[in-house]
Amino acid sequence: MPALACCVDAAAPPGYAFAGDISFPAPVALTGVPPATTDDSNNNRWSPSLSAALYNVDGWGGPYFAVNTAGNISVRPHGSDTLSHQEIDLLKIVKKASDPKSLGGLSLQLPLIARFPDVLKNRLESLQSAFDYAIQSGGYESHYQGVYPVKCNQDRFVVEDIVKFGSPFRFGLEAGSKPELLLAMSCLCKGNPDALLICNGFKDAEYISLALVANKLALNTVIVVEQEEEVDLIVELSKKLCIKPVIGLRAKLRTKHSGHFGGTSGEKGKFGLTTAQILRVVKNLDLAGMLDCLQLLHFHIGSQIPSTALLADGVGEAAQIYCELVRLGANMRVIDIGGGLGIDYDGSKSCDSDISVEYSLEDYAVAVVHAVQCVCDRRSVKHPVICSESGRAIVSHHSVLIFEAVGTSSTTGGGASPALSAQYLAEELSEDYRNLSELAFRGEYETCLVYTEEMKERCVEQFKQGTVCMEQLAAVEGLCELARKAVGAGESVRRYHVNLSVFTSVPDAWGIEQVFPIIPIHRLDEKPSVRGILSDLTCDSDGKIDKFINGESSLPLHEMEGGRTYYLGMFLGGAYEEALGGVHNLFGGPSVVRVSQSDGPHSFAVTRAVPGPSCGDVLRVMQHQPELMFETLKHRAQEYVSHDNAAALLAAGLARTFDRMPYLLSLSSFVADDVAAAVPAAQDLGEQWSY
Amino acid sequence: MPVLACCVDAAAPPGYAFAGDISFPAPIAFTGVPPATADDTNNSNNHWSPSLSAALYNVDGWGGPYFAVNTAGNISVRPHGSDTLSHQEIDLLKIVKKASDPKSLGGLGLQLPLIVRFPDVLKNRLDSLQSAFDYAIQSGGYESHYQGVYPVKCNQDRFVVEDIVKFGSSFRFGLEAGSKPELLLAMSCLCKGNPDALLICNGFKDAEYISLALVANKLALNTVIVLEQEEEVDLIVELSKKLCIKPVIGLRAKLRTKHSGHFGGTSGEKGKFGLTTAQILRVVKKLAHAGMLDCLQLLHFHIGSQIPSTALLADGVGEAAQIYCELVRLGANMRVIDIGGGLGIDYDGSKSCDSDISVEYGLEEYAAAVVHAVQCVCDRRSVKHPVICSESGRAIVSHHSVLIFEAVGTSSTNGGGAPPALSAHYLAEELSEDYGYLSELAFRGDYETCLVYTEEMKERCVEQFKQGTVCMEQLAAVEGLCELVRKAVGAAESVRRYHVNLSIFTSVPDAWGIDQVFPIIPIHRLEEKPSVRGILSDLTCDSDGKIDKFINGESSLALHEMEGGSYYLGMFLGGAYEEALGGVHNLFGGPSVIRVSQSDGPHSFAVTRAVPGPSCGDVLRVMQHQPELMFETLKHRAQEYVSHDNAAAVLAAGLARTFDRMPYLLPLSSFVADDVAAAAAVPAGEDDEEQWSYICA
């Protein structure tokens, strides 16, 4: 056997096979290629803990996510307080959700959002505890009561849970639009009467009237002035409606932070009042005899504040403004530090990245309390109530998006190559072949690769001229791929096709290149052997994920095995993604299950399960009427299909498609329908092909 | 009067006013500052005209032949393009008035933002595309025909798709689908279309998708299942045998031709879609083994959106034509070459091939390049000319849709409005050293250093404020001084922030996601010279919610000062992709929509369909809330806490109206009636003992 063939066989990793025989008219020695057997032996010693380290699960996921001994991701719904029997195996949830009802499952299609209200509760309690501890240990003479900014996730059950779980600590809500205000008003009717209702955003007369009405309904409402003109409207409407408002104002700080989320910081930000505007607002309120209504100062340094040093600087500046407002005669009670409490999306605890922060909840709370206390003590001002609008910190962890990989393809343009056209290589490319042999013999592998790429470019040009045929082009491409593998060129990245729409489910990955932890949720007891990027189902080349945590541009993944579903999860995506998503290519939202920890089998109970929007639902969003569409198609079937029974079966199949989600179905779930649809084939023997 | 005051007065543009008196303990000479009067004379408002606005905003460049500026200073729509007669022009402002005026005034009572759709423009675009190819085919002696398809992902709106099928019926214009709902949509609409129209099935496919496509074939729709992945062919063979439906199969080739720019991401070997050479050969072999090679009839490829030049286009199409001829040689029953999308829109009117938002060719040049490239290759290889298909969505739907929205207010972007009265005492005493130095710099005419120095002063003052050694009035004084110096020196034109009654995330998502630029301009007052540079801030509580990239590479837009009335802006050429991509960030839902056809009645148009955008209740429902229950909860709360039944009922009625209205801001005028009614119902006299009712925390 020629030497090249021997070397190639030795170098190829297990499981690879070359189509057809490889033969060359002259041998090419590719000596020096390191054997792959070392990696082979490592696979036997892989373990779930190695996967946990590889994907840094403890870094971004602690204390809520871990890898269990079965090699699956487990959820620890009570965080650090979770007992071992309370851990929930995520794969079992997916099985429960997606298995057919005949097997005791819920028959939901993927993609799927699994929500964990227990995690939500734990996050809320952790935030409250962090501030309570900072206040107590620092001798701060007031309290913390936060609000949840509903824009982070407006889902009814999320907001209702937050109001319920937060009731013991007077946890309130923040709204930034009229629908959000209606939502917050409605939910807080069941909340703590002292809970704050913070009204942010741009306001017209209707918004302000609504906020005044909320005050009338005994909701602890604060109208936060974002634009100077709003104060005139507030004064006018409150006089007319005979409702005395509680007013806050949003200050535009000068403290800046870099990074994408710092866009709101500094003087050029979109929101807030300048120093001069604050002074004018105070004057206007004073003239209206309503200065005592001014009770809250709000500001926002920017999302994902990277460090406590920056945080303290900003809060310190704001505390000075707070004290100035006290001096100017306002009836100040609350300082609202806004959002900015960051999530460590990649577990690096770094202050140099948009997706990480260097502090914990406790560090954050201590920095805030300390900064406010220092300034107020120095200026002999009574300590204000501290409020924050920490949405990301509350809701990010409670939601996991589960989706399947449905196939893979190479990103280097060639799969396994076909049988090479030996004659073409021998005759047409003899000179090139000889050069290549010589390079290989000398061990100049990099030059070898460059040379093969040049060969391919030349061949493509000849193909475009029509002087090279498709088989010849494929042969050269196959040779390039062969050389590439033989030389052990840069690890090949494969494309995993996932049953998901990035535009619907992970819009920030598209819009601002945000990175979320995405990892397999099972098979973590096996060593991943492939580097992959994720391609979504849409017909849009932007529909892909090729940025992963730790700055990686590909993700370690397992080979897909025939007939076995491969599940991936996107974690920490509970904030913003659901409202931002659209219906590009008419792929709608995922199914949703709510999972609570319970002492029953598998440690969990599904408390709510909702399929995602069906094909009919997304069509309706675009003004179509699925019922009429179905009738049109049914009539068409009756018109063109020669057997009534077959037409009825076709219609039934169409109806099922209208009722199902747009995403791809695994073949197994289609077989039953397929068999049923195929039944009338026997009756059509006389017309085997009809088209 | 101090010299500084005189100079400042002279330098300030007309219309500016300084709050309070300006007095300094010592004069600062700002000699050498060029007076503004020369500009006044040369560019005074009196000499401005609509045609100058048309040039300023390059309306003819990106908007021709559909949009122009009329003599009233408004944008007019020319629904039939170049064939529009003067009496058929439609004034866009009149449409907005018709849509937004209250019903009591003969309007439709719709809230802004508003999408105005012009089906006549849609028809003209379709006709123009078809004509371009027909002409190229006829003049080149090409021996087949063009029949395109519309890729429904560009705009899946029912009425848009139905119109395209209707208008395109006479030239066999079909549809392309890329998902199951899109396929259901295309099947349903094409039941009313030309029987020869193509139904192209692209995208990733499972057994259900393929079965659905086979069923479409059974229903006598001219269906082509296009292979995007090699594995699909096995499934097609298996299912077509089972269902006894012989398919028409296409395959998508992954070309090697590349183009740069954002939209070139699909091009070249690393693209997301299509089959490689080796895969194509394997597919052909498999189909031959299955006895179905005659089913293979169409070649599809896609160079990338917004192909910048005809040279690149010809290169790609030429490569594809070679593949087509190879498939013929290999025994496939080839009939159609589908060149995909890529026909670009010139969003900024620059006709440039170096930009993602412009292209250097017109429809006719595009068609000629395609026909020529296919013809050359096929003739050289003695292959029968294929039917040419394209999936030119952007070119068909972009122009037909205009998004109208209002600016509701403005603010400065450099941190200060008009400064308050300066604290002379503070400046004289605390900053005497700084003040003296500043005077010296000004005297020497060193204005740049003057600016740098004032910024340093401000930074120092901010730090002192943070330490608590400077009070708010003092900080404001220094900021005011900085602003004063800035204006006096004539520093870079100040950019203002215009707050617009819009959500970027809902209505212009590509501006956020991929920094796409659309033509955005005022739709009226174009007879006035715009005097402000502005950026647009949207209503959401998100700092990304802004537009600060405009056509011609500008980072601000020329705008007019806002006056008492509404100030309307339009976003043009946004008919493709934006509506499906948009979400409900902050629960701002979609805009109202009206369809406007040219008619010979008054104002040259008729509104054929008008739909308000989703209400507050509608967007809440999307998030699983039940607005009816929410309303009941709040109504009960009102009954519980409001002491008069009548007042509680009025409050409840107000709440109900808010649930039923769109989330966007309302102009004050439309709220007055409700407000008065609500106020009248609360008899102040009876509440004397409780003039203020609020909860003391």
Side-chain angles (χ1 to χ4, degrees):
Chain A
M1 181 174 286
L4 175 61
C6 288
C7 292
V8 169
D9 286 347
Y16 276 73
F18 292 99
D21 291 326
I22 299 170
S23 62
F24 290 96
V28 175
L30 292 189
T31 55
V33 177
T37 51
T38 305
D39 278 341
D40 239 342
S41 57
N42 281 347
N43 206 38
N44 295 330
R45 291 196 283 265
W46 195 259
S47 68
S49 59
L50 287 173
S51 283
L54 174 68
Y55 296 116
N56 198 16
V57 176
D58 292 340
W60 52 261
Y64 302 106
F65 302 106
V67 181
N68 67 22
T69 54
N72 303 332
I73 294 288
S74 67
V75 182
R76 310 179 72 235
H78 309 298
S80 308
D81 300 328
T82 308
L83 305 178
S84 61
H85 74 274
Q86 292 173 327
E87 292 189 11
I88 300 171
D89 186 316
L90 199 49
L91 184 64
K92 291 192 165 100
I93 292 171
V94 176
K95 293 298 186 190
K96 174 70 177 179
S98 60
D99 276 355
K101 285 174 177 163
S102 56
L103 298 181
L106 299 169
S107 287
L108 297 178
Q109 267 182 262
L110 266 59
L112 171 75
I113 283 179
R115 292 202 211 281
F116 300 94
D118 296 312
V119 171
L120 195 60
K121 182 170 193 287
N122 189 268
R123 291 298 292 173
L124 205 54
E125 289 173 351
S126 300
L127 178 65
Q128 186 73 33
S129 295
F131 273 99
D132 286 347
Y133 176 78
I135 283 169
Q136 177 188 322
S137 63
Y140 189 80
E141 292 162 7
S142 189
H143 65 273
Y144 167 80
Q145 63 180 92
V147 295
Y148 169 65
V150 304
K151 71 186 180 207
C152 286
N153 194 319
Q154 298 112 337
D155 181 86
R156 171 185 168 193
F157 302 98
V158 172
V159 181
E160 288 184 352
D161 275 347
I162 289 170
V163 169
K164 180 173 69 177
F165 297 149
S167 192
F169 346 107
R170 298 174 279 198
F171 215 86
L173 298 173
E174 178 263 0
S177 67
K178 295 177 208 175
E180 288 184 352
L181 182 48
L182 290 169
L183 186 170
M185 288 167 70
S186 173
C187 288
L188 284 176
C189 284
K190 308 176 192 73
N192 187 307
D194 292 336
L196 289 164
L197 169 49
I198 304 287
C199 305
N200 285 336
F202 292 96
K203 306 174 188 68
D204 62 0
E206 186 179 37
Y207 188 131
I208 291 169
S209 296
L210 199 56
L212 291 169
V213 165
N215 188 313
K216 188 85 170 179
L217 304 187
L219 298 171
N220 197 7
T221 312
V222 183
I223 305 174
V224 178
V225 175
E226 301 252 8
Q227 303 284 308
E228 191 177 347
E229 307 82 49
E230 290 170 8
V231 73
D232 299 322
L233 208 47
I234 294 169
V235 169
E236 177 189 338
L237 290 170
S238 61
K239 300 281 190 185
K240 279 186 176 173
L241 297 178
C242 282
I243 300 171
K244 187 167 186 179
V246 176
I247 297 172
L249 62 81
R250 179 170 181 164
K252 188 179 289 197
L253 301 189
R254 283 155 202 77
T255 307
K256 291 183 171 61
H257 95 71
S258 57
H260 178 88
F261 294 111
T264 45
S265 61
E267 287 177 354
K268 293 192 190 305
K270 180 176 168 181
F271 306 103
L273 303 176
T274 64
T275 314
Q277 287 173 322
I278 291 171
L279 289 169
R280 282 200 295 270
V281 163
V282 168
K283 186 174 177 181
N284 288 345
L285 286 174
D286 199 17
L287 289 179
M290 289 169 66
L291 191 51
D292 61 323
C293 298
L294 182 54
Q295 302 181 20
L296 178 145
L297 174 68
H298 172 48
F299 63 96
H300 183 54
I301 297 167
S303 295
Q304 293 285 108
I305 297 168
S307 69
T308 49
L310 180 64
L311 171 67
D313 191 23
V315 174
E317 181 185 349
Q320 292 286 354
I321 297 173
Y322 181 92
C323 293
E324 285 289 281
L325 290 168
V326 170
R327 177 179 66 81
L328 292 168
N331 184 21
M332 300 305 288
R333 292 189 302 110
V334 182
I335 191 166
D336 176 355
I337 66 174
L341 170 46
I343 289 289
D344 190 355
Y345 286 100
D346 65 4
S348 64
K349 306 231 183 308
S350 164
C351 64
D352 294 324
S353 161
D354 279 341
I355 58 169
S356 188
V357 294
E358 66 174 11
Y359 51 80
S360 64
L361 288 182
E362 290 76 20
D363 297 330
Y364 182 89
V366 166
V368 169
V369 172
H370 182 72
V372 175
Q373 190 172 9
C374 278
V375 174
C376 291
D377 285 350
R378 196 186 318 141
R379 298 194 55 165
S380 303
V381 164
K382 180 166 154 32
H383 295 166
V385 170
I386 295 174
C387 174
S388 74
E389 301 175 12
S390 309
R392 220 181 271 262
I394 293 171
V395 293
S396 294
H397 294 74
H398 94 289
S399 183
V400 182
L401 174 71
I402 310 286
F403 52 99
E404 313 139 286
V406 292
T408 74
S409 59
S410 172
T411 59
T412 59
S417 53
L420 296 173
S421 172
Q423 174 176 308
Y424 172 66
L425 289 173
E427 295 189 6
E428 301 292 333
L429 297 179
S430 59
E431 183 181 339
D432 290 313
Y433 192 80
R434 188 163 51 254
N435 287 338
L436 196 60
S437 301
E438 185 178 320
L439 288 170
F441 182 78
R442 295 205 306 255
E444 290 190 33
Y445 303 123
E446 286 307 315
T447 311
C448 220
L449 282 178
V450 172
Y451 195 83
T452 51
E453 287 299 321
E454 282 172 5
M455 276 175 66
K456 184 162 77 167
E457 286 300 318
R458 202 182 330 126
C459 195
V460 168
E461 282 309 307
Q462 288 171 333
F463 178 80
K464 289 184 179 182
Q465 301 307 316
T467 56
V468 156
C469 71
M470 196 171 273
E471 291 92 335
Q472 290 167 328
L473 180 57
V476 171
E477 287 173 350
L479 179 64
C480 289
E481 191 62 20
L482 184 66
R484 195 173 201 284
K485 286 175 179 170
V487 169
E491 197 170 40
S492 170
V493 173
R494 291 204 355 229
R495 188 183 297 279
Y496 277 60
H497 302 288
V498 294
N499 196 12
L500 185 72
S501 161
V502 166
F503 303 89
T504 299
S505 292
V506 206
D508 271 331
W510 168 69
I512 58 174
E513 303 196 328
Q514 169 130 3
V515 174
F516 293 93
I518 295 175
I519 67 172
I521 66 160
H522 64 143
R523 295 176 62 186
L524 299 172
D525 50 349
E526 305 169 32
K527 179 180 179 177
S529 54
V530 183
R531 302 292 308 195
I533 63 173
L534 310 182
S535 259
D536 81 354
L537 290 185
T538 62
C539 299
D540 190 319
S541 59
D542 281 352
K544 65 183 190 290
I545 299 177
D546 56 5
K547 288 181 177 65
F548 301 94
I549 60 175
N550 304 326
E552 300 274 10
S553 58
S554 62
L555 180 66
L557 292 167
H558 305 87
E559 282 283 0
M560 289 188 57
E561 295 164 358
R564 190 177 165 197
T565 311
Y566 187 43
Y567 298 110
L568 303 173
M570 181 194 86
F571 295 81
L572 310 189
Y576 295 111
E577 305 313 294
E578 291 164 53
L580 270 173
V583 291
H584 197 30
N585 262 126
L586 296 186
F587 287 104
S591 304
V592 180
V593 289
R594 273 164 60 85
V595 176
S596 291
Q597 186 266 315
S598 80
D599 293 334
H602 306 309
S603 306
F604 70 88
V606 175
T607 59
R608 181 175 158 88
V610 183
S614 65
C615 290
D617 293 331
V618 288
L619 287 162
R620 193 172 284 110
V621 168
M622 290 295 166
Q623 316 304 315
H624 295 274
Q625 291 168 283
E627 300 82 8
L628 294 186
M629 296 168 77
F630 171 73
E631 287 299 318
T632 297
L633 294 171
K634 194 171 84 167
H635 291 325
R636 187 85 170 194
Q638 289 163 357
E639 183 181 353
Y640 284 94
V641 176
S642 54
H643 293 79
D644 284 348
N645 191 47
L649 282 172
L650 288 185
L654 287 166
R656 274 193 300 272
T657 303
F658 273 105
D659 285 343
R660 267 201 282 252
M661 288 168 67
Y663 292 92
L664 302 188
L665 298 166
S666 57
L667 195 57
S668 58
S669 73
F670 194 73
V671 166
D673 299 330
D674 179 65
V675 169
V679 164
Q683 305 178 40
D684 281 322
L685 286 180
E687 194 182 10
Q688 184 169 4
W689 293 113
S690 63
Y691 70 109
Chain B
M1 180 174 286
V3 174
L4 175 61
C6 287
C7 292
V8 170
D9 286 347
Y16 276 59
F18 292 97
D21 291 325
I22 299 170
S23 62
F24 291 94
I28 298 178
F30 275 73
T31 55
V33 176
T37 52
D39 274 343
D40 258 336
T41 303
N42 288 339
N43 297 296
S44 70
N45 221 30
N46 297 330
H47 294 163
W48 196 258
S49 69
S51 60
L52 286 173
S53 282
L56 173 67
Y57 297 116
N58 199 16
V59 175
D60 292 340
W62 52 260
Y66 302 105
F67 301 105
V69 181
N70 67 21
T71 53
N74 303 332
I75 294 288
S76 68
V77 182
R78 310 178 73 234
H80 310 298
S82 308
D83 300 328
T84 308
L85 305 178
S86 61
H87 74 275
Q88 292 174 327
E89 292 189 12
I90 300 171
D91 186 317
L92 199 48
L93 183 65
K94 291 194 165 96
I95 293 172
V96 176
K97 293 298 186 190
K98 174 70 178 180
S100 60
D101 277 355
K103 287 174 175 169
S104 56
L105 298 181
L108 298 170
L110 297 178
Q111 267 182 262
L112 266 59
L114 171 74
I115 282 179
V116 186
R117 293 202 210 282
F118 298 96
D120 296 312
V121 171
L122 194 60
K123 182 174 194 294
N124 189 268
R125 292 297 293 172
L126 208 53
D127 290 347
S128 300
L129 178 65
Q130 187 73 32
S131 295
F133 272 99
D134 287 347
Y135 177 77
I137 283 169
Q138 176 188 321
S139 63
Y142 190 81
E143 291 162 8
S144 189
H145 65 273
Y146 168 79
Q147 64 179 92
V149 295
Y150 168 65
V152 304
K153 72 188 180 202
C154 287
N155 194 318
Q156 298 112 337
D157 181 86
R158 171 185 168 193
F159 302 98
V160 172
V161 181
E162 288 184 352
D163 276 347
I164 288 169
V165 169
K166 180 173 69 177
F167 297 149
S169 188
S170 53
F171 8 93
R172 297 173 280 198
F173 216 85
L175 299 173
E176 178 263 0
S179 67
K180 295 178 208 175
E182 288 185 352
L183 182 49
L184 290 169
L185 185 170
M187 288 167 71
S188 174
C189 289
L190 284 176
C191 284
K192 309 175 190 76
N194 187 306
D196 291 336
L198 289 163
L199 169 49
I200 304 287
C201 305
N202 285 337
F204 292 96
K205 306 172 188 69
D206 62 1
E208 186 179 37
Y209 187 131
I210 291 169
S211 296
L212 199 56
L214 292 168
V215 165
N217 188 313
K218 188 86 171 179
L219 304 187
L221 298 170
N222 195 8
T223 312
V224 183
I225 305 174
V226 178
L227 302 176
E228 302 256 7
Q229 304 284 307
E230 189 178 347
E231 306 82 49
E232 290 169 9
V233 71
D234 299 317
L235 208 47
I236 292 170
V237 169
E238 178 188 337
L239 289 170
S240 60
K241 300 281 190 184
K242 280 186 175 174
L243 297 179
C244 281
I245 300 171
K246 188 167 187 178
V248 176
I249 298 172
L251 63 80
R252 179 170 180 164
K254 188 178 289 197
L255 301 188
R256 283 154 203 78
T257 307
K258 291 182 170 64
H259 94 72
S260 57
H262 177 88
F263 294 112
T266 46
S267 62
E269 288 177 353
K270 293 191 190 304
K272 181 176 168 181
F273 306 104
L275 304 177
T276 64
T277 314
Q279 288 173 321
I280 291 171
L281 289 170
R282 284 200 293 270
V283 162
V284 168
K285 188 173 177 182
K286 285 180 181 178
L287 287 175
H289 279 162
M292 290 169 66
L293 191 51
D294 60 323
C295 298
L296 182 54
Q297 302 181 21
L298 178 145
L299 174 68
H300 171 48
F301 63 96
H302 183 55
I303 297 168
S305 295
Q306 293 285 107
I307 297 168
S309 69
T310 50
L312 180 64
L313 171 67
D315 191 23
V317 174
E319 181 185 349
Q322 292 286 355
I323 298 173
Y324 182 92
C325 293
E326 285 289 282
L327 290 168
V328 170
R329 177 179 67 80
L330 293 168
N333 184 22
M334 300 306 288
R335 291 191 301 113
V336 182
I337 191 166
D338 175 356
I339 66 174
L343 170 47
I345 288 289
D346 190 355
Y347 286 100
D348 65 4
S350 64
K351 305 225 183 310
S352 164
C353 64
D354 294 324
S355 161
D356 279 340
I357 57 168
S358 189
V359 294
E360 67 174 12
Y361 52 81
L363 290 181
E364 292 75 19
E365 292 162 299
Y366 181 89
V370 169
V371 171
H372 181 73
V374 175
Q375 190 171 10
C376 277
V377 173
C378 290
D379 285 350
R380 197 186 316 140
R381 298 194 56 165
S382 303
V383 165
K384 179 168 157 29
H385 295 167
V387 170
I388 295 175
C389 174
S390 75
E391 301 176 11
S392 309
R394 220 181 272 263
I396 293 172
V397 293
S398 294
H399 294 74
H400 94 290
S401 183
V402 182
L403 173 71
I404 308 286
F405 52 98
E406 312 142 286
V408 292
T410 74
S411 58
S412 173
T413 59
N414 54 15
L422 297 173
S423 173
H425 180 83
Y426 173 66
L427 290 174
E429 295 195 5
E430 300 292 333
L431 297 179
S432 59
E433 183 180 335
D434 291 311
Y435 193 81
Y437 183 62
L438 196 61
S439 301
E440 183 180 323
L441 287 172
F443 183 78
R444 294 205 309 252
D446 200 341
Y447 303 122
E448 286 306 314
T449 310
C450 221
L451 279 178
V452 172
Y453 195 81
T454 50
E455 287 299 320
E456 282 171 5
M457 276 175 66
K458 184 161 77 166
E459 287 299 319
R460 203 182 329 126
C461 195
V462 168
E463 282 309 307
Q464 289 171 333
F465 178 80
K466 290 183 179 182
Q467 301 306 317
T469 56
V470 157
C471 71
M472 196 171 273
E473 291 93 334
Q474 289 167 329
L475 180 57
V478 171
E479 287 173 351
L481 178 64
C482 289
E483 190 61 20
L484 183 66
V485 169
R486 196 172 199 283
K487 286 176 179 169
V489 170
E493 196 170 42
S494 170
V495 173
R496 297 215 336 240
R497 188 183 298 278
Y498 277 60
H499 302 289
V500 293
N501 196 11
L502 185 72
S503 161
I504 302 295
F505 303 89
T506 299
S507 293
V508 207
D510 272 331
W512 168 69
I514 57 174
D515 288 333
Q516 170 130 3
V517 174
F518 294 93
I520 296 176
I521 67 172
I523 67 160
H524 63 143
R525 296 176 60 187
L526 299 172
E527 76 280 8
E528 304 170 32
K529 179 183 180 178
S531 54
V532 183
R533 300 297 306 192
I535 63 172
L536 310 181
S537 259
D538 81 353
L539 289 186
T540 62
C541 299
D542 191 319
S543 59
D544 281 353
K546 65 183 190 291
I547 300 179
D548 55 6
K549 289 183 177 63
F550 301 94
I551 60 174
N552 303 327
E554 300 273 11
S555 58
S556 62
L557 179 65
L559 293 167
H560 305 87
E561 283 283 0
M562 288 189 58
E563 295 162 357
S566 300
Y567 185 43
Y568 299 112
L569 303 174
M571 181 194 85
F572 295 80
L573 310 190
Y577 294 112
E578 305 314 293
E579 290 164 54
L581 271 173
V584 291
H585 198 30
N586 262 126
L587 296 186
F588 286 104
S592 304
V593 180
I594 58 173
R595 276 163 58 86
V596 173
S597 292
Q598 186 265 315
S599 81
D600 293 334
H603 306 308
S604 305
F605 70 88
V607 175
T608 59
R609 181 175 158 88
V611 183
S615 66
C616 289
D618 293 331
V619 288
L620 287 163
R621 193 171 284 110
V622 168
M623 290 295 167
Q624 317 303 316
H625 295 273
Q626 292 168 282
E628 301 81 8
L629 294 186
M630 296 168 78
F631 172 73
E632 288 299 318
T633 297
L634 294 171
K635 194 171 85 167
H636 291 324
R637 186 86 170 193
Q639 289 162 356
E640 183 182 352
Y641 283 94
V642 177
S643 53
H644 293 82
D645 283 349
N646 191 48
V650 168
L651 287 185
L655 287 166
R657 273 195 300 273
T658 303
F659 273 105
D660 285 343
R661 267 202 281 255
M662 288 168 67
Y664 292 92
L665 302 188
L666 297 166
L668 195 57
S669 57
S670 76
F671 194 73
V672 166
D674 298 332
D675 178 66
V676 169
V682 183
E686 299 179 41
D687 278 322
D688 281 343
E689 295 178 6
E690 198 182 11
Q691 182 173 3
W692 294 111
S693 62
Y694 67 111
I695 304 301
C696 298

